Amino acid sequence: MHTFALTFAIAISKLFLGGSPASAVDSATALRVLDPDNDGTIDMREALRGAQRVFKAINPDRDGTLDAAELRGRLSAAGLRAADPDDDGPFSWREYNMLVKALFVLANPDDDGSIDLRELRSPAGRRLLKLIYL
């Protein structure tokens, strides 16, 4: 994948909060929900589909951006600032999408284009889950 995306993900990954709805969830359950083709893995398309659902669900004001309060438990305030390259404050879908893609790369160290249960249970996989699973 792109070097920028990987560098971005590594820089951001340390800014996630420890506790979140996704950390309490069973990875196997999340995999079943996020894997509609039942191949036992999550590919980028499936991850982005999950990310869209999460983005819409945690954006109750439907303004197309997420602020620190809406991202509570998924990304810290410091993480929000670091992941906002245009420094415009709210986190847009484009920025959220870019972060999901970068974290997908980190959660997929074998670079096979899909995340299996073992990878989903890794620290990087759990961070990705915070953004793609409710």
Side-chain angles (χ1 to χ4, degrees):
M1 185 86 178
H2 304 293
T3 303
F4 172 76
L6 186 56
T7 303
F8 176 73
I10 291 168
I12 292 301
S13 68
K14 295 183 181 175
L15 300 172
F16 279 82
L17 297 175
S20 80
S23 66
V25 120
D26 175 46
S27 299
T29 300
L31 180 61
R32 281 192 299 276
V33 171
L34 293 166
D35 180 28
D37 62 5
N38 296 312
D39 68 352
T41 65
I42 300 168
D43 60 30
M44 182 67 78
R45 185 176 39 84
E46 292 165 337
L48 291 174
R49 193 174 308 131
Q52 285 177 323
R53 283 191 298 268
V54 170
F55 191 92
K56 287 178 184 177
I58 65 175
N59 184 227
D61 59 8
R62 302 285 189 246
D63 67 352
T65 63
L66 300 174
D67 58 30
E70 291 167 324
L71 281 163
R72 187 175 326 122
R74 295 180 192 281
L75 191 64
S76 68
L80 180 59
R81 285 189 303 276
D84 185 17
D86 58 6
D87 197 30
D88 65 352
F91 204 61
S92 70
W93 165 248
R94 183 184 62 75
E95 292 161 333
Y96 192 87
N97 186 18
M98 185 171 72
L99 180 58
V100 168
K101 287 178 179 179
L103 289 173
F104 186 95
V105 170
L106 282 180
N108 184 228
D110 61 6
D111 199 26
D112 67 352
S114 62
I115 297 172
D116 60 26
L117 185 57
R118 180 186 55 78
E119 291 167 326
L120 201 55
R121 288 179 172 157
S122 73
R126 289 191 307 271
R127 288 195 283 291
L128 177 64
L129 269 181
K130 290 179 182 185
L131 300 179
I132 67 172
Y133 185 72
L134 290 171

